Each structure stands twice: as C-alpha cells, then as structure tokens.
Amino acid sequence: MLTKARLSWLVAAGSLFSVFLCTSNATGYRSPDSPPPGPDYKWICVGNFCQWKLIGKKTTTSTPTVPGTPGTHGKTTSVECKSRGALVPCVDPALGAWSNSHQCYMKREEPQPPPGDERWQGHTDGSIWACTREQGYDQGKHIVTEWVWLPGKPDTVVIDPVTLAYDAVAEMQLAPPQIKTAPTAQQIGLVNMPVWMWVTKSENTWGPIVRSASVPGLSVTATAQVTAINWSMGDGTTVRCEGPGTPYSKAVGTKGSPTCGHRYAKTSQKLPNCKYPVSAVAQWDITWKSTLGDTGQIGMTQRAATQLRIGEAVPVLVDPHGGDAAAPGAAC
C-alpha cells in the first residue's frame, strides 16, 4: 500500500527522471539552458528526445492601413497548427509545413516520381507530396509517411521558402534554347569544314529573368540566367559554350567560330537520315532570396535538338570526249 509520503517521493522521482531526459547532453539533444532560437520557441520532449520547437504565433497576415481613410488601422491575425487539438510546430526543417486538414507535415517530393508511378494514382497533373505524421503514444510513438497527390498546394499554414521559389520559377516559363547552326539543317556541310553554333537570346530562353511568389508574411524573388550551353554533336563530341555563341556571317567565309564551333571528321552518310543528331542543353543557374533572409540555388536544364548533314568534297569526273560530267554516287 502506498503512503502519501511514498507517493510524493515517486512523483518527485518521476519529475527528476523527466528533467534528466530533457537535459541530457547525448548526441542529438539540446540543453534548455541554451537560449531559444527565437521568440515563441518552447522546450518540447517526445519520448526521451528534447529540442526547442516553434509554438504559438505561426503566420502573421497584415492588412495595412489605407492611406487617407479615417478610422482604419492595420490588422494582424494569427493562425495555429494543431494535431488532434494540441499545438504543434508549424514548420519542421526536415518534414515541411503542417497541414491542419491532412494532419501531417507536407513536403513536395523532389524530384517528382516518374510518370506511371503508383503514387500518381493515374493523374498526370498536380504534384506528389510526402505527408508525415507521428503516431502512437509514449514509448510507442513512431513516424509514418504516406504520399498524397494534390492538384495544387496543400493548406499548409506556413509555406516554406523553397516551395515559393519553385512557384517563382514556374512563373518564368523557361523555354528550350532557340538554336541556330551554319550550315543549317536544310544545308549540307563538309568534313573538316567549320560548323558554327549559337542561340538566339530572349528573356525566357537565356535570361536574366526575375519573378516573385508570395503568401501573406513571406515573399521569394528568384533570378534565372543561362550559364552555358552543352552541345552534343552526334559524333561522340560534346562542345561546352560558356556564352550564347556567335551568329555566322557570310563575310567570314570559311573561318571557324570564335566562340562556339565544331568540325566533323567523318560524313553522316551511314547514319539514319544521313544526318548527325545534334542537341543543345542550356544550364540554368537560379538563385532565390526570401523576405525572411533565406537564400538558395536551383539548377535546371532545357534541351533543344536539330540535325546536320555532313558530306565531303569529291572530284567531278569529266568525259574528255564531251560526254556528261558525273560524280561518285552516294547513298543519300
């Protein structure tokens, strides 16, 4: 039978044990003696793992005062993230932002699953999101993740800056490079003669291009610029051009391109359609910055393709008796 004194001792011992768990300096633990990362952070323990977590004010939406309108004032509202009625951090650095309707942390899968993956559930639009939540009680708590298809964004209380950065990039409508060559796809080039390659610059095919995306309380601005074009010439050669290349002019004659060119060592006669498959991959460098000071980089590529027919100069056979001239035959 427990006496009041012994019961009080057990309660006190249990409290001391909880304090010990939450102040342990083992790997992955943080001490409550250290200052919180910022306002509205609270020391939270899950099982025997403790850390500072953001609790309380989550997202602030402000309506500014309308100039010249009497009696109006800036209005601030605050929303909360709740799991089964209990406050939870609105943002987890690893899991994403909390969704009150899905009751989990939502994070867009990067990269997205390939077409036909069962997670798409037959859809071809929208995005796949990882929905992660904690289940169980006490020592039986564990993390569960499921994948959810959504046509748009989840109702996360806080949109993370990376998501907004991708929204800003989507607004750019980046397009494949507008490639040009000399000779063109309709002409025939010659072995060991120069081939000129270049791209026509525009805002969404070369940059720089700047776009922004925002939600109440947070805005992200992204800037994109092509840094190089990698030309695959179809003969096993890749030519990297740091700039857009130089447009060909008849005035230069048979000189090679000063910035982006190639010479073929063999004809394309034995290839399908008697042409070399040529592709140009533009490498985009995208940097972004949020109004909260977060920054990041995104790499992206855009590809375009053409074909080049390469022949060789051959002597013309002339009949000394005045017959018709003839040239060696060719397969195409």
Side-chain angles (χ1 to χ4, degrees):
M1 181 175 180
L2 292 175
T3 64
K4 289 184 178 180
R6 181 166 179 77
L7 181 59
S8 299
W9 180 86
L10 288 174
V11 171
S15 299
L16 288 173
F17 183 63
S18 298
V19 170
F20 171 76
L21 289 176
C22 287
T23 58
S24 172
N25 290 320
T27 303
Y29 289 52
R30 298 181 63 180
S31 170
D33 296 332
S34 62
D40 304 316
Y41 277 79
K42 183 178 179 181
W43 187 252
I44 294 179
C45 295
V46 176
N48 61 353
F49 183 83
C50 304
Q51 61 179 323
W52 289 108
K53 287 259 186 173
L54 181 63
I55 296 292
K57 295 180 180 179
K58 308 304 183 301
T59 300
T60 300
T61 303
S62 299
T63 304
T65 301
V66 180
T69 305
T72 60
H73 301 280
K75 181 177 65 176
T76 298
T77 59
S78 181
V79 292
E80 295 178 332
C81 301
K82 290 186 176 182
S83 173
R84 297 189 294 271
L87 285 174
V88 295
C90 280
V91 178
D92 185 289
L95 306 180
W98 181 262
S99 167
N100 281 332
S101 65
H102 288 87
Q103 287 288 282
C104 63
Y105 287 102
M106 304 289 290
K107 189 172 186 179
R108 189 176 185 272
E109 284 289 280
E110 294 296 346
Q112 288 282 283
D117 189 286
E118 61 180 7
R119 286 171 287 183
W120 286 104
Q121 303 173 23
H123 297 284
T124 57
D125 59 346
S127 303
I128 302 300
W129 297 73
C131 176
T132 305
R133 64 173 63 88
E134 188 178 69
Q135 291 187 176
Y137 298 92
D138 300 325
Q139 299 303 318
K141 287 184 178 180
H142 57 283
I143 300 297
V144 175
T145 299
E146 61 181 351
W147 284 267
V148 179
W149 170 84
L150 293 176
K153 300 176 184 175
D155 63 330
T156 49
V157 175
V158 176
I159 299 294
D160 64 286
V162 175
T163 298
L164 285 180
Y166 277 98
D167 288 347
V169 172
E171 290 294 325
M172 296 177 181
Q173 297 183 349
L174 301 181
Q178 299 175 350
I179 62 178
K180 303 287 185 179
T181 62
T184 67
Q186 291 73 41
Q187 297 173 328
I188 301 177
L190 296 176
V191 170
N192 294 323
M193 293 297 287
V195 175
W196 289 50
M197 301 95 71
W198 70 96
V199 298
T200 302
K201 294 167 61 175
S202 65
E203 187 183 50
N204 67 336
T205 61
W206 185 264
I209 181 172
V210 181
R211 293 291 186 272
S212 298
S214 61
V215 293
L218 178 62
S219 179
V220 170
T221 299
T223 303
Q225 172 74 64
V226 172
T227 57
I229 302 284
N230 289 321
W231 293 83
S232 178
M233 304 307 298
D235 61 350
T237 303
T238 298
V239 179
R240 180 178 176 85
C241 301
E242 302 294 338
T246 304
Y248 176 76
S249 171
K250 290 183 178 179
V252 302
T254 59
K255 293 181 180 179
S257 171
T259 55
C260 190
H262 182 60
R263 294 174 187 263
Y264 286 98
K266 296 180 180 180
T267 71
S268 57
Q269 181 176 344
K270 295 182 179 180
L271 297 175
N273 299 320
C274 290
K275 294 181 179 180
Y276 281 108
V278 177
S279 65
V281 177
Q283 292 185 341
W284 286 88
D285 180 29
I286 305 170
T287 59
W288 59 266
K289 184 176 182 179
S290 79
T291 51
L292 297 179
D294 299 299
T295 60
Q297 287 187 310
I298 298 173
M300 190 171 293
T301 60
Q302 291 283 350
R303 180 182 181 276
T306 186
Q307 293 181 323
L308 290 179
R309 184 176 176 181
I310 303 297
E312 59 182 352
V314 295
V316 176
L317 302 180
V318 178
D319 186 346
H321 302 289
D324 293 335
C332 53

